């Protein structure tokens, strides 16, 4: 019989505690599937700071380390410098990376740290109850922007992939989306590329994944995928923003 699907050994066989329709699970699986296919599960150390994915270590079948809010790039820097032969990645939300941790990620890229950063942009603070993030869209209603994000008060949403792409130490920067099967397949290619850049010791690699937060967006699973397509992708275009050969 032909095997058409196998549960990756990269994910432990547990019931997910993420909300229905949340794409953290897809992001987890893509990263772990790639590591499994590369035979790197035993040689990988991941760093997940606070945010909904604080429990990533429960699901990901690799060594994992927690970090304080926004500080995963500093922790990953230390780990990779102590274990230069290991595959090291960070997994950060937008509240984490684009707000309290902005300096950390910019300077990790600036120093050309040779780990891979995965940025899960769901345009909101998920874990803490749906507050506005720097990536929330203009007009987006959150618990701290109840009439919708206003440009006059909060500025325009921060585009992290474009920002990191301006940093000389970054070698590969791409934005992908988890809203459709075709985009998920592309996202997997981006994860593969990020790890291959790291494997070749070329420098810092960064993949932003547009992601859902149905609970805090107040939408069901299917509508959330549509919200990425209709609202996020027009503001956060997909593609490669930097690739240094
Ligand atoms: C120093 C510090 N400040 C604030 C918090 C509270 N806090 C926990 S997670 C979080 C934001 C999470 O949002 P995001 O990074 O976008 O991840 P998501 O939960 O949406 O996946 C905040 C503000 C904290 N844990 N530590």
């Amino acid at each position: 019989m032909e095997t058409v699907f196998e549960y990756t050994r990269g994910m432990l066989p547990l019931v997910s505690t993420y909300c229905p329709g949340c794409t953290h699970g897809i992001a987890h699986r893509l990263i772990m599937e790639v590591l499994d296919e590369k035979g790197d599960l035993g040689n990988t150390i991941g760093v997940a700071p606070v945010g909904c994915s604080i429990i990533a270590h429960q699901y990901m079948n690799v060594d994992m380390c927690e970090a304080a809010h926004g500080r995963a790039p500093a922790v990953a820097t230390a780990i990779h410098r102590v274990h230069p032969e290991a595959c090291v990645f960070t997994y950060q939300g937008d509240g984490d990376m684009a707000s309290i941790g902005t300096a950390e990620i910019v300077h990790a890229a600036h120093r050309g740290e040779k780990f891979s950063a995965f940025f899960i942009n769901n345009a909101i603070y998920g874990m803490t109850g749906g507050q506005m993030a720097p990536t929330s869209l203009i007009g987006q209603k959150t618990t701290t922007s109840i009439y919708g994000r206003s440009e006059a008060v909060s500025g325009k949403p921060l585009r992290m992939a474009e920002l990191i792409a301006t940093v000389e130490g970054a070698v590969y920067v791409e934005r992908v989306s988890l809203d459709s099967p075709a985009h998920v397949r592309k996202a997997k290619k981006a994860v593969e590329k990020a790890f291959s850049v790291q494997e070749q010791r070329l420098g810092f690699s960064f993949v932003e994944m547009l992601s859902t937060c149905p609970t805090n967006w107040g939408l069901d699973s299917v509508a959330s995928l549509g919200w990425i397509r209709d609202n996020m992708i027009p503001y956060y275009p997909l593609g490669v923003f930097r690739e240094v050969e």
Side-chain angles (χ1 to χ4, degrees):
M1 214 195 312
E2 190 195 353
T3 305
V4 289
F5 177 79
E6 255 182 316
Y7 199 88
T8 171
R9 284 168 300 173
M11 291 288 284
L12 294 164
L14 301 170
V15 174
S16 167
T17 51
Y18 290 117
C19 301
C22 166
T23 46
H24 266 306
I26 297 177
H28 282 26
R29 199 199 70 224
L30 289 181
I31 297 168
M32 290 301 118
E33 216 169 66
V34 171
L35 289 171
D36 187 12
E37 286 164 10
K38 287 166 60 60
D40 260 347
L41 291 175
N43 179 42
T44 296
I45 307 170
V47 187
V50 295
C52 287
S53 52
I54 194 165
I55 47 170
H57 63 270
Q58 290 184 17
Y59 303 121
M60 295 180 171
N61 195 10
V62 293
D63 285 338
M64 296 285 293
C65 184
E66 291 285 354
H69 204 15
R71 305 313 185 229
V75 175
T77 296
I79 292 174
H80 202 262
R81 286 183 179 203
V82 172
H83 297 288
E85 75 296 340
C87 172
V88 177
F89 73 89
T90 56
Y91 185 102
Q92 300 179 256
D94 47 311
D96 186 85
M97 181 193 279
S99 189
I100 195 169
T102 318
E104 301 273 337
I105 193 69
V106 169
H107 284 283
H110 162 225
R111 294 189 304 270
E113 299 297 342
K114 294 177 183 56
F115 65 82
S116 306
F118 298 108
F119 172 45
I120 314 303
N121 179 4
N122 60 12
I124 207 157
Y125 286 24
M127 183 198 205
T128 42
Q131 293 85 1
M132 185 178 68
T135 52
S136 298
L137 296 176
I138 296 296
Q140 186 179 340
K141 291 191 174 136
T142 71
T143 52
T144 48
S145 58
I146 54 173
Y147 302 113
R149 177 180 179 148
S150 132
E151 183 186 337
V153 175
S154 308
K156 288 184 179 165
L158 195 56
R159 294 187 177 106
M160 285 304 293
E162 287 85 337
L163 173 68
I164 298 298
T166 66
V167 180
E168 285 297 322
V171 163
Y172 168 65
V173 180
E174 180 163 2
R175 181 184 290 117
V176 295
S177 170
L178 303 179
D179 68 287
S180 68
H183 281 161
V184 169
R185 276 196 293 276
K186 268 201 146 167
K188 185 170 175 186
K189 293 254 174 298
V191 174
E192 284 167 352
K193 175 81 184 174
F195 283 134
S196 114
V197 162
Q198 180 175 167
E199 200 170 49
Q200 295 170 67
R201 298 182 189 270
L202 297 178
F204 183 78
S205 46
F206 179 100
V207 178
E208 173 172 343
M209 299 184 187
L210 301 183
S211 215
T212 59
C213 184
T215 300
N216 289 298
W217 293 353
L219 298 173
D220 66 29
S221 309
V222 174
S224 299
L225 298 172
W227 200 84
I228 292 186
R229 261 190 305 279
D230 298 341
N231 299 287
M232 290 187 80
I233 293 177
Y235 188 82
Y236 295 116
L238 309 182
V240 175
F241 292 89
R242 186 173 175 89
E243 189 167 4
V244 180
E245 296 298 336

